[in-house]
Amino acid sequence: MDSKHDTIRVLGVDPGLNVTGYGVIDMRGRDLQIVEAGVVRGGARGDISKRVSRLYDGLQDVIKQHAPQLMALEELYSHYQRPRTAILMGHARGIICLAAAKAEIPVYHYASTQVKRMLTGNGRASKKQMQLSVAHEFSLPAPPDPPDVADALAIAMCHCFFSRQTSVT
């Protein structure tokens, strides 16, 4: 099959222990199409082991249902004012990487500023700007909501953009 016509299925993931956004995109040449997007909820409160278990189970369901060939995942970032957030995000990223590893899916990591700059031209774009940009790129009637969904789709798009760049050179 000619590589320009192969379809590659990308799972973009915006990690969070409470809410993890995901977006499944098919990339065929220069065309991108949303297959499905949504959230997996770990829960805002309760035992951490139950929360990560719900996140893992939800991601396994997404992977089984959509069979992505690769995963694009937002890198861990930390604000000095909120170290607890970084720790919780680390738990979520670990579970997400485990789900990908168990399914033998390679994971590509992207900084949030890199994703925002690729989509909006501004590495510090707001969540609302990201939602509007994703809606525009996919000609959606309304911005994806919650913002975690738009972020996951943007992460998947970022991988598609960068993989096209590296395959041309």
Side-chain angles (χ1 to χ4, degrees):
M1 205 175 340
D2 180 41
S3 65
K4 290 186 178 184
H5 300 297
D6 289 347
T7 299
I8 298 172
R9 181 156 287 177
V10 179
L11 171 59
V13 181
D14 179 42
L17 191 54
N18 300 343
V19 178
T20 289
Y22 71 88
V24 181
I25 293 178
D26 280 348
M27 176 177 67
R28 186 177 185 131
R30 298 194 65 77
D31 296 326
L32 301 179
Q33 181 178 10
I34 297 174
V35 175
E36 182 180 290
V39 296
V40 175
R41 296 188 186 279
R45 301 196 188 284
D47 180 57
I48 190 80
S49 59
K50 288 185 171 92
R51 293 169 70 192
V52 297
S53 178
R54 283 192 295 269
L55 178 58
Y56 180 77
D57 291 345
L59 281 168
Q60 273 195 316
D61 289 346
V62 170
I63 290 168
K64 283 178 187 171
Q65 184 175 1
H66 297 291
Q69 291 156 288
L70 59 93
M71 179 185 289
L73 177 61
E74 184 178 277
E75 284 182 351
L76 181 63
Y77 64 92
S78 175
H79 295 288
Y80 292 112
Q81 302 91 335
R82 293 183 237 125
R84 189 177 192 299
T85 301
I87 292 167
L88 293 175
M89 180 98 123
H91 288 329
R93 285 188 90 255
I95 291 302
I96 293 162
C97 289
L98 175 63
K102 289 288 190 180
E104 298 180 355
I105 300 170
V107 180
Y108 297 83
H109 305 269
Y110 296 95
S112 63
T113 53
Q114 183 181 26
V115 174
K116 290 175 179 183
R117 188 172 32 258
M118 182 274 311
L119 191 59
T120 69
N122 176 4
R124 303 265 181 234
S126 69
K127 289 206 172 274
K128 187 67 174 172
Q129 286 173 300
M130 293 298 288
Q131 287 174 286
L132 292 171
S133 293
V134 168
H136 174 76
E137 289 294 322
F138 286 107
S139 301
L140 301 175
D145 193 49
D148 311 271
V149 174
D151 290 348
L153 288 166
I155 293 160
M157 290 171 60
C158 184
H159 178 80
C160 293
F161 174 78
F162 284 114
S163 67
R164 286 194 301 236
Q165 294 265 315
T166 55
S167 68
V168 171
T169 55

